[in-house]
Amino acid sequence: MTQKEKDKLKLEALRTKLSIRQTAMSCERSLLSYIRTACVFVSLAFTYLKIASYDQFDAFVIVMFVIGLFFLAFGVIEYVIAKRKTKRIGKHIDKEFLDSNERFYEEDDI
């Protein structure tokens, strides 16, 4: 293998590594947006409980609280699934495309 081919392979590996890292970061951003949305719904429920309903639970409070918890649970589940997929892709790239002495995927990267 010539030096030019080795450089091209390293460049492609770097691009792949960066795209996997970008995917992992987008999963983290999605999780944060789900948490933010869940906090909005839960705080809306508590605000309505304190201001409008005079310490009485009504259907609006319960629905907003349940929607907030749903967003939180859905976001965490989606994040865990996406993170596992991203790790599997990184490990697959290690096995298939690189020499045994090189390591493309690091646990801390993803």
Side-chain angles (χ1 to χ4, degrees):
M1 195 179 253
T2 67
Q3 183 63 31
K4 188 175 182 179
E5 291 172 339
K6 287 181 183 180
D7 290 342
K8 185 177 179 181
L9 182 63
K10 285 183 181 182
L11 182 62
E12 289 175 5
L14 179 62
R15 286 180 182 152
T16 306
K17 183 177 182 177
L18 290 174
S19 67
I20 289 174
R21 184 65 189 141
Q22 182 180 10
T23 302
M25 289 172 63
S26 70
C27 291
E28 292 170 5
R29 281 192 309 270
S30 295
L31 174 65
L32 291 174
S33 68
Y34 277 113
I35 291 172
R36 181 183 62 233
T37 304
C39 288
V40 166
F41 277 103
V42 170
S43 65
L44 178 65
F46 283 124
T47 302
Y48 185 79
L49 178 68
K50 284 293 186 180
I51 294 174
S53 73
Y54 302 108
D55 297 330
Q56 295 177 0
F57 276 85
D58 58 353
F60 181 78
V61 173
I62 295 170
V63 168
M64 289 299 116
F65 191 74
V66 169
I67 289 174
L69 291 179
F70 173 76
F71 271 108
L72 182 64
F74 183 78
V76 169
I77 290 169
E78 183 188 30
Y79 174 74
V80 168
I81 291 171
K83 186 150 179 140
R84 284 182 187 164
K85 284 182 184 178
T86 306
K87 281 185 179 182
R88 257 187 279 142
I89 290 170
K91 288 178 183 178
H92 174 72
I93 289 172
D94 269 350
K95 282 189 220 175
E96 296 294 324
F97 299 112
L98 297 178
D99 296 337
S100 59
N101 59 356
E102 291 185 58
R103 182 134 175 101
F104 170 71
Y105 168 77
E106 297 292 332
E107 279 293 321
D108 297 337
D109 282 347
I110 299 175

CSV table of all heavy atoms in Angstrom, one decimal, residues 5 22-24 32-34 40 46 53 57 59 61 65 68-69 76 78 81-84 90-91 95 102 107-108 110:
chain,number,residue,atom,x,y,z
A,5,GLU,N,-2.3,6.1,-0.6
A,5,GLU,CA,-3.4,5.2,-0.2
A,5,GLU,C,-3.7,5.2,1.3
A,5,GLU,O,-4.8,5.2,1.7
A,5,GLU,CB,-3.3,3.8,-0.8
A,5,GLU,CG,-3.4,3.8,-2.3
A,5,GLU,CD,-3.0,2.4,-2.8
A,5,GLU,OE1,-2.3,1.6,-2.1
A,5,GLU,OE2,-3.4,2.1,-4.0
A,22,GLN,N,-20.7,13.3,15.3
A,22,GLN,CA,-21.8,14.2,15.1
A,22,GLN,C,-23.1,13.6,15.3
A,22,GLN,O,-24.0,14.2,15.9
A,22,GLN,CB,-21.7,14.7,13.6
A,22,GLN,CG,-22.7,15.7,13.2
A,22,GLN,CD,-22.6,16.1,11.8
A,22,GLN,OE1,-21.8,15.5,11.0
A,22,GLN,NE2,-23.3,17.2,11.4
A,23,THR,N,-23.3,12.3,15.0
A,23,THR,CA,-24.5,11.6,15.2
A,23,THR,C,-24.7,11.5,16.7
A,23,THR,O,-25.9,11.7,17.2
A,23,THR,CB,-24.5,10.2,14.6
A,23,THR,OG1,-24.3,10.4,13.2
A,23,THR,CG2,-25.8,9.5,14.8
A,24,ALA,N,-23.7,11.2,17.5
A,24,ALA,CA,-23.8,11.0,18.9
A,24,ALA,C,-24.2,12.4,19.6
A,24,ALA,O,-25.1,12.4,20.5
A,24,ALA,CB,-22.5,10.5,19.5
A,32,LEU,N,-31.8,16.4,25.2
A,32,LEU,CA,-31.9,17.7,26.0
A,32,LEU,C,-33.2,18.4,25.6
A,32,LEU,O,-33.9,19.0,26.4
A,32,LEU,CB,-30.7,18.6,25.7
A,32,LEU,CG,-29.4,18.1,26.4
A,32,LEU,CD1,-28.3,19.0,25.9
A,32,LEU,CD2,-29.6,18.1,27.9
A,33,SER,N,-33.6,18.3,24.3
A,33,SER,CA,-34.9,18.9,23.9
A,33,SER,C,-36.1,18.2,24.5
A,33,SER,O,-37.1,18.8,24.8
A,33,SER,CB,-34.9,19.0,22.4
A,33,SER,OG,-35.1,17.8,21.8
A,34,TYR,N,-36.0,16.9,24.5
A,34,TYR,CA,-37.1,16.2,25.2
A,34,TYR,C,-37.2,16.5,26.7
A,34,TYR,O,-38.3,16.7,27.2
A,34,TYR,CB,-36.9,14.6,25.0
A,34,TYR,CG,-37.4,14.1,23.7
A,34,TYR,CD1,-36.5,13.6,22.8
A,34,TYR,CD2,-38.8,14.2,23.4
A,34,TYR,CE1,-37.0,13.1,21.6
A,34,TYR,CE2,-39.2,13.7,22.2
A,34,TYR,CZ,-38.3,13.2,21.3
A,34,TYR,OH,-38.8,12.7,20.1
A,40,VAL,N,-41.3,21.8,30.6
A,40,VAL,CA,-42.3,22.8,30.3
A,40,VAL,C,-43.7,22.3,30.7
A,40,VAL,O,-44.5,23.0,31.3
A,40,VAL,CB,-42.2,23.3,28.8
A,40,VAL,CG1,-43.4,24.0,28.4
A,40,VAL,CG2,-41.0,24.1,28.6
A,46,PHE,N,-47.9,22.4,37.3
A,46,PHE,CA,-47.8,22.9,38.6
A,46,PHE,C,-48.2,24.4,38.7
A,46,PHE,O,-48.8,24.8,39.7
A,46,PHE,CB,-46.3,22.8,39.2
A,46,PHE,CG,-46.0,21.4,39.6
A,46,PHE,CD1,-45.0,20.7,39.1
A,46,PHE,CD2,-46.8,20.7,40.5
A,46,PHE,CE1,-44.7,19.4,39.5
A,46,PHE,CE2,-46.5,19.4,41.0
A,46,PHE,CZ,-45.5,18.8,40.4
A,53,SER,N,-56.3,26.6,39.7
A,53,SER,CA,-57.2,25.6,40.3
A,53,SER,C,-57.3,25.7,41.8
A,53,SER,O,-58.1,24.9,42.3
A,53,SER,CB,-56.8,24.2,39.8
A,53,SER,OG,-55.7,23.8,40.5
A,57,PHE,N,-56.9,19.3,42.2
A,57,PHE,CA,-56.4,18.6,40.9
A,57,PHE,C,-57.6,18.5,40.0
A,57,PHE,O,-58.7,18.1,40.3
A,57,PHE,CB,-56.0,17.2,41.3
A,57,PHE,CG,-54.6,17.1,41.7
A,57,PHE,CD1,-54.2,17.3,43.0
A,57,PHE,CD2,-53.6,16.8,40.8
A,57,PHE,CE1,-52.9,17.3,43.4
A,57,PHE,CE2,-52.2,16.8,41.2
A,57,PHE,CZ,-51.9,17.0,42.5
A,59,ALA,N,-58.5,17.8,35.5
A,59,ALA,CA,-58.0,17.0,34.4
A,59,ALA,C,-56.9,17.6,33.7
A,59,ALA,O,-55.9,17.0,33.3
A,59,ALA,CB,-59.2,16.7,33.4
A,61,VAL,N,-54.4,19.5,34.9
A,61,VAL,CA,-53.2,19.3,35.6
A,61,VAL,C,-52.6,17.9,35.4
A,61,VAL,O,-51.5,17.7,35.1
A,61,VAL,CB,-53.4,19.6,37.1
A,61,VAL,CG1,-52.1,19.2,37.9
A,61,VAL,CG2,-53.7,21.1,37.3
A,65,PHE,N,-49.2,16.9,33.4
A,65,PHE,CA,-48.1,16.2,34.1
A,65,PHE,C,-47.8,14.8,33.4
A,65,PHE,O,-46.7,14.5,33.2
A,65,PHE,CB,-48.6,15.9,35.5
A,65,PHE,CG,-47.5,15.4,36.4
A,65,PHE,CD1,-46.5,16.3,36.9
A,65,PHE,CD2,-47.5,14.1,36.8
A,65,PHE,CE1,-45.5,15.8,37.7
A,65,PHE,CE2,-46.5,13.6,37.6
A,65,PHE,CZ,-45.5,14.5,38.1
A,68,GLY,N,-45.9,15.5,30.2
A,68,GLY,CA,-44.5,15.8,30.6
A,68,GLY,C,-43.7,14.5,30.9
A,68,GLY,O,-42.5,14.4,30.4
A,69,LEU,N,-44.2,13.6,31.7
A,69,LEU,CA,-43.5,12.4,32.0
A,69,LEU,C,-43.4,11.5,30.8
A,69,LEU,O,-42.3,10.8,30.6
A,69,LEU,CB,-44.3,11.6,33.1
A,69,LEU,CG,-44.3,12.3,34.5
A,69,LEU,CD1,-45.1,11.4,35.4
A,69,LEU,CD2,-42.9,12.4,35.0
A,76,VAL,N,-35.6,9.6,26.9
A,76,VAL,CA,-34.5,8.8,27.5
A,76,VAL,C,-34.5,7.4,26.7
A,76,VAL,O,-33.4,7.0,26.4
A,76,VAL,CB,-34.8,8.5,29.0
A,76,VAL,CG1,-33.9,7.4,29.5
A,76,VAL,CG2,-34.6,9.8,29.7
A,78,GLU,N,-35.4,6.8,23.6
A,78,GLU,CA,-34.8,7.1,22.3
A,78,GLU,C,-33.3,7.3,22.3
A,78,GLU,O,-32.6,6.8,21.5
A,78,GLU,CB,-35.5,8.3,21.6
A,78,GLU,CG,-35.0,8.5,20.2
A,78,GLU,CD,-35.6,9.8,19.7
A,78,GLU,OE1,-35.8,10.8,20.4
A,78,GLU,OE2,-35.7,9.9,18.4
A,81,ILE,N,-31.5,3.9,22.9
A,81,ILE,CA,-31.5,3.1,21.6
A,81,ILE,C,-30.5,3.7,20.6
A,81,ILE,O,-29.7,3.0,20.0
A,81,ILE,CB,-32.9,3.0,21.1
A,81,ILE,CG1,-33.8,2.2,22.0
A,81,ILE,CG2,-32.9,2.5,19.6
A,81,ILE,CD1,-35.3,2.2,21.6
A,82,ALA,N,-30.5,5.0,20.4
A,82,ALA,CA,-29.6,5.6,19.4
A,82,ALA,C,-28.2,5.5,19.8
A,82,ALA,O,-27.3,5.3,19.0
A,82,ALA,CB,-30.0,7.1,19.3
A,83,LYS,N,-27.9,5.6,21.1
A,83,LYS,CA,-26.5,5.5,21.6
A,83,LYS,C,-26.0,4.0,21.3
A,83,LYS,O,-24.9,3.9,20.9
A,83,LYS,CB,-26.4,5.8,23.0
A,83,LYS,CG,-25.0,5.9,23.5
A,83,LYS,CD,-24.9,6.9,24.6
A,83,LYS,CE,-23.4,6.8,25.1
A,83,LYS,NZ,-22.9,8.1,25.3
A,84,ARG,N,-26.8,3.1,21.6
A,84,ARG,CA,-26.4,1.7,21.3
A,84,ARG,C,-26.1,1.4,19.9
A,84,ARG,O,-25.2,0.8,19.5
A,84,ARG,CB,-27.5,0.7,21.8
A,84,ARG,CG,-27.6,0.5,23.3
A,84,ARG,CD,-28.6,-0.5,23.7
A,84,ARG,NE,-28.8,-0.5,25.1
A,84,ARG,CZ,-29.8,-1.1,25.7
A,84,ARG,NH1,-30.8,-1.6,25.0
A,84,ARG,NH2,-29.9,-1.1,27.0
A,90,GLY,N,-19.7,2.0,15.4
A,90,GLY,CA,-18.3,2.3,15.6
A,90,GLY,C,-17.5,1.0,15.8
A,90,GLY,O,-16.4,0.9,15.3
A,91,LYS,N,-18.1,0.0,16.5
A,91,LYS,CA,-17.4,-1.2,16.7
A,91,LYS,C,-17.3,-2.0,15.3
A,91,LYS,O,-16.3,-2.6,15.0
A,91,LYS,CB,-18.1,-2.1,17.7
A,91,LYS,CG,-17.9,-1.5,19.1
A,91,LYS,CD,-18.6,-2.4,20.1
A,91,LYS,CE,-18.5,-1.8,21.5
A,91,LYS,NZ,-19.2,-2.6,22.5
A,95,LYS,N,-13.9,-3.3,13.3
A,95,LYS,CA,-13.6,-4.7,12.8
A,95,LYS,C,-13.4,-4.8,11.3
A,95,LYS,O,-12.5,-5.5,10.8
A,95,LYS,CB,-14.8,-5.6,13.1
A,95,LYS,CG,-14.9,-6.0,14.5
A,95,LYS,CD,-16.0,-7.1,14.6
A,95,LYS,CE,-16.8,-6.9,15.9
A,95,LYS,NZ,-17.9,-7.8,16.0
A,102,GLU,N,-4.7,-0.7,14.8
A,102,GLU,CA,-5.3,0.6,14.9
A,102,GLU,C,-6.7,0.5,15.5
A,102,GLU,O,-7.3,-0.5,15.5
A,102,GLU,CB,-5.5,1.2,13.5
A,102,GLU,CG,-4.2,1.5,12.8
A,102,GLU,CD,-4.4,2.2,11.5
A,102,GLU,OE1,-5.1,3.2,11.5
A,102,GLU,OE2,-4.0,1.6,10.5
A,107,GLU,N,-14.5,4.2,23.4
A,107,GLU,CA,-15.6,4.2,24.3
A,107,GLU,C,-16.0,5.7,24.7
A,107,GLU,O,-17.1,6.0,24.8
A,107,GLU,CB,-15.4,3.4,25.5
A,107,GLU,CG,-15.7,1.9,25.4
A,107,GLU,CD,-17.1,1.6,25.0
A,107,GLU,OE1,-18.0,2.2,25.6
A,107,GLU,OE2,-17.3,0.7,24.2
A,108,ASP,N,-14.9,6.4,25.0
A,108,ASP,CA,-15.2,7.8,25.4
A,108,ASP,C,-15.7,8.7,24.3
A,108,ASP,O,-16.3,9.8,24.6
A,108,ASP,CB,-13.9,8.4,26.0
A,108,ASP,CG,-13.4,7.6,27.2
A,108,ASP,OD1,-14.3,6.9,27.9
A,108,ASP,OD2,-12.2,7.6,27.6
A,110,ILE,N,-18.0,8.1,22.1
A,110,ILE,CA,-19.4,8.1,21.8
A,110,ILE,C,-20.2,7.8,23.1
A,110,ILE,O,-19.9,7.1,23.9
A,110,ILE,CB,-19.7,7.0,20.8
A,110,ILE,CG1,-19.0,7.3,19.5
A,110,ILE,CG2,-21.2,6.8,20.5
A,110,ILE,CD1,-19.0,6.3,18.4
